[in-house]
Amino acid sequence: MNLTKKVALGVAVGFFSNFAFAQTLQEGVANADSHKYAKAKTVFNEMIAKSPTAENYFYLGNSYLTQFEPNFELAQENFNKGLAADKKSYLNKIGLASVKLGKGDKSAIGEISRISITFTSSAFLSSSAFTAILQYSAEVINLHSPIIFVYFPG
């Protein structure tokens, strides 16, 4: 097999691997959004087995947090594992603050706001990450507070 064919084959394998991973993430999120938490957790656990990234731990932790009867301990455990994988993981930081809020600690609202402001002012922020963090923060705060004040640094 010549070098050109090897390169083409390598690119094709990489493309389809990333496509399969994205489909798996979409499947897990769709299951969670449809309140099929057991299926979502299975998908996210499989993702973690293949790639234990901070993002994958966040999705699993969030499944435990958003299920009908939240399991704060397992959610917190997974958010902590996500932070161990990436100390700068803003999603897992917000996840941990969400656990505090879920347990009744209202000071977590300020913590979520501070994390969101820090995250949104990051120079390495992609537009999809910006949208995701704002949506998640708003949902968490809306669940526990009738009024939301959002500050965007200019």
Side-chain angles (χ1 to χ4, degrees):
M1 184 181 278
N2 66 26
L3 183 60
T4 306
K5 287 182 182 179
K6 287 180 183 177
V7 170
L9 181 62
V11 169
V13 167
F15 174 77
F16 288 113
S17 296
N18 285 336
F19 180 74
F21 179 76
Q23 289 293 84
T24 303
L25 176 59
Q26 290 173 349
E27 178 186 345
V29 171
N31 283 324
D33 287 347
S34 300
H35 307 289
K36 298 175 184 171
Y37 298 107
K39 286 183 181 181
K41 287 183 266 189
T42 299
V43 169
F44 297 137
N45 274 311
E46 289 171 0
M47 290 172 56
I48 289 169
K50 292 177 187 173
S51 178
T53 64
E55 184 178 5
N56 290 343
Y57 280 113
F58 166 76
Y59 283 112
L60 181 58
N62 193 52
S63 294
Y64 284 110
L65 189 61
T66 58
Q67 65 189 13
F68 295 116
E69 293 291 326
N71 187 327
F72 296 119
E73 290 72 30
L74 287 176
Q76 184 173 354
E77 178 183 320
N78 282 287
F79 294 141
N80 281 327
K81 287 179 181 179
L83 281 174
D86 178 4
K87 293 176 184 161
K88 295 180 181 182
S89 174
Y90 292 104
L91 287 175
N92 284 294
K93 289 178 182 181
I94 287 185
L96 287 172
S98 300
V99 168
K100 285 183 186 178
L101 190 58
K103 291 180 176 180
D105 183 351
K106 300 294 183 186
S107 70
I109 294 174
E111 191 175 334
I112 291 169
S113 295
R114 284 189 297 281
I115 294 167
S116 297
I117 289 168
T118 302
F119 185 78
T120 56
S121 64
S122 170
F124 302 106
L125 185 63
S126 70
S127 62
S128 62
F130 175 78
T131 302
I133 196 72
L134 287 180
Q135 287 175 339
Y136 186 77
S137 298
E139 288 174 16
V140 167
I141 293 172
N142 272 332
L143 292 174
H144 301 282
S145 177
I147 300 173
I148 297 177
F149 295 98
V150 180
Y151 169 74
F152 295 98

